[in-house]
Amino acid sequence: TEAHPAEGWVKEQVLRLAALAEQFSNHPISRSIQEACADDLTGVEVTDVQERGGHGITAQADGHTIAVGNQRLMDALNVAVPSDLNLNGTTVLVACNGVYVGVILVADQVKVGAKEALSKLKAVGVSKTVMLTGDTKRVAEAVAAELGVDEVRSDLLPADKVSKVEELLGQQRGKAKLAFVGDGINDAPVLSRADIGIAMGAMGSDAAIEAADVVLMDDDPLKIA
């Protein structure tokens, strides 16, 4: 939705650097950054791409070391980020050669039918819905309120999702079952741990599809109920 360059940089440079690092990832955020970059990246050699789960991506391109991800990644690489970034939405921080160059703001679009899907789950007897997300508390709670999700766990690393599911499984009583719906590679361990793992198949990673009990091939959340 927005890109804010640091002093001495321009928006197009921030998007280009991010798109170079992200071009081999099929993560929804990566795809949106690639689509937002107007530059033709054909022929640019990108090497040493490292996807760091729950942090972001680092890569070598255009003779530069690029890092694209969250605050955890910047902290790990000792990149100083301005403390006054007060942006509403998911922030993707960009650094080049160890220097902060800008931030990209990404906003999730709620899937068509998602709100109706949740109300239908309640209608067929689902007692509680919980959102597990790596997104910030503010963003997660806004989406949850829009959709009518009962409980939100935010700022989660991939491993945190597993521990939260273990916690929810421990709260089950009687014949209750826990179903988990996901599509990303980071969701695979949770899909296999839940009583019922449901993968969104069309956009889902191979790992998620392999780990799931049920695969919805058209990614329609209404099909869950």
Side-chain angles (χ1 to χ4, degrees):
T1 55
E2 301 170 39
H4 300 276
E7 193 173 342
W9 296 82
V10 296
K11 174 180 165 181
E12 289 74 20
Q13 288 174 306
V14 176
L15 287 169
R16 176 184 172 83
L17 288 168
L20 282 169
E22 299 275 11
Q23 65 180 310
F24 300 112
S25 174
N26 65 356
H27 190 282
I29 288 178
S30 301
R31 287 200 301 267
S32 70
I33 290 171
Q34 292 163 49
E35 287 167 13
C37 175
D39 290 5
D40 181 6
L41 305 179
T42 309
V44 180
E45 187 178 4
V46 181
T47 59
D48 198 23
V49 178
Q50 295 181 32
E51 196 150 358
R52 306 183 182 205
H55 289 71
I57 288 178
T58 57
Q60 300 285 330
D62 271 354
H64 303 294
T65 301
I66 306 167
V68 185
N70 57 22
Q71 187 64 54
R72 295 186 193 103
L73 179 65
M74 298 297 139
D75 291 344
L77 300 174
N78 295 315
V79 174
V81 176
S83 58
D84 58 350
L85 292 179
N86 187 21
L87 302 168
N88 284 320
T90 301
T91 52
V92 180
L93 304 168
V94 184
C96 182
N97 300 327
V99 177
Y100 168 79
V101 301
V103 59
I104 297 167
L105 191 66
V106 180
D108 274 323
Q109 291 181 318
V110 172
K111 277 188 175 178
V112 174
K115 186 171 184 176
E116 186 185 350
L118 283 162
S119 63
K120 281 196 169 185
L121 287 172
K122 288 289 174 71
V124 297
V126 172
S127 60
K128 182 166 78 167
T129 53
V130 184
M131 178 194 289
L132 304 180
T133 177
D135 238 326
T136 62
K137 187 172 188 284
R138 183 166 53 181
V139 173
E141 288 183 348
V143 173
E146 182 183 345
L147 295 180
V149 177
D150 297 320
E151 190 177 316
V152 183
R153 312 286 181 93
S154 56
D155 291 304
L156 300 180
L157 288 168
D160 297 333
K161 286 188 179 181
V162 179
S163 62
K164 292 299 178 191
V165 164
E166 293 285 359
E167 187 183 311
L168 292 166
L169 286 167
Q171 295 169 5
Q172 287 179 188
R173 297 291 176 266
K175 294 181 179 179
K177 298 293 180 192
L178 185 138
F180 178 85
V181 185
D183 61 3
I185 192 163
N186 294 330
D187 292 329
V190 199
L191 285 162
S192 58
R193 184 64 191 90
D195 294 317
I196 307 159
I198 303 172
M200 292 295 196
M203 301 296 283
S205 72
D206 290 344
I209 290 166
E210 283 294 320
D213 301 299
V214 181
V215 181
L216 299 177
M217 291 312 297
D218 60 1
D219 282 349
D220 181 359
L222 283 165
K223 297 285 172 66
I224 301 167

